[in-house]
Amino acid sequence: LSPSSYNKAMMVMNQSYWDSIHADVETHLREAIHVRPPLSVYEPMHHLALETPQNTAPALCAAACELVGGHRDQAMAAAAALHLMHAATYTHGHLPLTDRSKPMITHHAYGPNIELLIGDAIIPFGFELLSMSDDSARDISDRVLRVIIEIARVTGSQGIISGQYHEIQYDESKNNHDLELIKRISEKKEGELHECGAKCGAILGGGNEDEVEKLRKFGFYVGMVKGMLHRGDKSDEILMREVEELKSLALDQLTGFNATKVEAFANLVGS
Amino acid sequence: LSPSSYNKAMMVMNQSYWDSIHADVETHLREAIHVRPPLSVYEPMHHLALETPQNTAPALCAAACELVGGHRDQAMAAAAALHLMHAATYTHGHLPLTDRSKPMITHHAYGPNIELLIGDAIIPFGFELLSMSDDSARDISDRVLRVIIEIARVTGSQGIISGQYHEIQYDESKNNHDLELIKRISEKKEGELHECGAKCGAILGGGNEDEVEKLRKFGFYVGMVKGMLHRGDKSDEILMREVEELKSLALDQLTGFNATKVEAFANLVGS
């Protein structure tokens, strides 16, 4: 194999790795939120949860669990809960409120009232999935509780909510080149969500504290890269230099892990 | 002491019992949500959580814990979480949405955007408090996880949310004498919330399954009584007869518990 076809083959293989994880998370979600009575609740919940675009944080959770030697199934409830938290934020982020100047997306399958209530219902549903994933036969209550704390923090007041708060300010200001604000939003939204995903996966997979810490950092840098590229102007050299630094910090965290598995992780930052 | 002054003394004593529990729940909440950075999040969160009128479900949680022989402190995190879930529902229930005909309360200290986001932040914060109440020295992870599942259910899709959904329909219809609808809303809102409170308190206090089950039922009947009296027309004889039946069912659950402690519980249904 020539180096370029080897690289191409690796990229395809890494892509199919993430595709298979995304597919497993989606299957888990479909089963967890299968439509059941009361239909007035589960039908929109199923719809809103599955319509919300997938985010890499849940996939990273399952992959981190495998990287430390666990099986991805051990992290599926946490990955699904992370997607649900993201879906609740996404739904409420697009809610037409009387003090928001315009609806941010044009098509809503349900009215604001339903979207508000279902968003509210999705959050505890995520915690319910998580706590039910406790397996007394395997004595993992401590790991599950630790993960609940992590996910509660990142979903709540110290995490996404304050990112969303800044994002609304950002969307309403016309200054879309404020790098500091872009960084603060990316930190609170994508950064901490990916940090949490990777950390929770490592905890559930039975990683040691060093592994948990490295994956936590890796997740944070990956999320920052995603958030900054999503919000920032790619022709801005200062921004792009910072992105490159973050990518390199992310890759640094991967030393010491199983070399073949690490490939897919490196792929996540486009390296 | 004459029988009537004895009764009066008992009522005062029972009232002061509930007052002391309400005060403890409030103190616990104030400490848990003390205002800290980011102020843009914690200030409205503190305000909204403490401005929300107290509900008896959290107090019942702490009292049930004591009734089965525990100390009320063991149930304080769960009681605070129950209040927070109630506060989130209350805040979002009063949010001015574009498809709600009129704001339901006139004074809002914060704009809808903040009330939406803070309501969202309050829910995971409740779960965070709960999971942090795990005490590895006392090996209660299983109890804490069981309580998280209970609270997630009652807060989420199967519980309050569907009650709130029916309540909005009820408020918008002009038929305020639909007893079946009043019962369905009371079941989903006050009924299940009090059921959950009493059950969680009994679990955390180390009650056996029989005690947990009796207190669960007691809580449900108490909540139904409260909800039906709150929503229904007290001159409606059919409704008042059903309320009396529920009170008597509630009292039946108290047999077998410590007689002096039971007084305060009986007081809760006005007996």
Side-chain angles (χ1 to χ4, degrees), chain A residues 122-192:
Chain A
I122 287 178
I123 302 173
F125 189 73
F127 287 105
E128 190 182 340
L129 284 186
L130 266 175
S131 24
M132 292 196 312
S133 72
D134 179 33
D135 179 351
S136 57
R138 293 182 44 248
D139 195 21
I140 52 166
S141 303
D142 291 348
R143 287 184 197 172
V144 172
L145 280 166
R146 205 171 151 196
V147 164
I148 290 174
I149 295 174
E150 293 297 329
I151 294 185
R153 280 199 183 136
V154 79
T155 312
S157 45
Q158 292 124 327
I160 300 180
I161 303 293
S162 85
Q164 203 162 11
Y165 183 83
H166 291 306
E167 190 163 51
I168 289 164
Q169 291 179 306
Y170 173 76
D171 288 341
E172 284 174 1
S173 82
K174 299 287 166 238
N175 180 7
N176 287 5
H177 294 284
D178 182 341
L179 184 57
E180 284 313 306
L181 192 52
I182 290 175
K183 277 162 70 179
R184 207 179 325 147
I185 300 167
S186 305
E187 192 179 307
K188 285 290 163 190
K189 293 194 82 174
E190 296 82 1
E192 293 189 4

Side-chain angles (χ1 to χ4, degrees), chain B residues 209-224:
Chain B
E209 288 311 309
D210 179 50
E211 291 171 322
V212 169
E213 183 59 12
K214 275 158 129 186
L215 283 167
R216 181 189 73 73
K217 285 187 186 159
F218 174 80
F220 179 73
Y221 297 132
V222 167
M224 283 298 286

Side-chain angles (χ1 to χ4, degrees), chain A residues 209-267:
Chain A
E209 288 311 309
D210 180 51
E211 291 170 322
V212 169
E213 183 59 12
K214 275 159 130 184
L215 282 167
R216 179 189 75 71
K217 286 187 186 159
F218 175 80
F220 179 74
Y221 298 132
V222 167
M224 285 298 285
V225 168
K226 292 198 176 285
M228 287 172 71
L229 291 178
H230 167 66
R231 259 169 224 105
D233 172 2
K234 291 186 190 85
S235 67
D236 178 343
E237 282 181 27
I238 304 176
L239 180 133
M240 293 310 282
R241 202 157 49 230
E242 295 208 21
V243 164
E244 287 309 313
E245 279 168 27
L246 288 164
K247 285 184 180 184
S248 135
L249 285 167
L251 294 174
D252 288 348
Q253 309 305 320
L254 298 176
T255 50
F257 287 106
N258 179 316
T260 54
K261 285 187 180 164
V262 149
E263 290 281 350
F265 279 75
N267 189 243

Side-chain angles (χ1 to χ4, degrees), chain A residues 25-71:
Chain A
V25 172
E26 196 179 317
T27 305
H28 191 89
L29 273 170
R30 279 190 191 281
E31 283 166 12
I33 336 175
H34 65 268
V35 177
R36 55 186 179 267
L39 290 187
S40 58
V41 170
Y42 280 101
E43 212 173 60
M45 192 155 140
H46 187 86
H47 175 87
L48 291 169
L50 291 160
E51 281 298 292
T52 299
Q54 275 212 37
N55 175 296
T56 34
L60 186 55
C61 177
C65 178
E66 289 192 334
L67 187 63
V68 299
H71 189 285

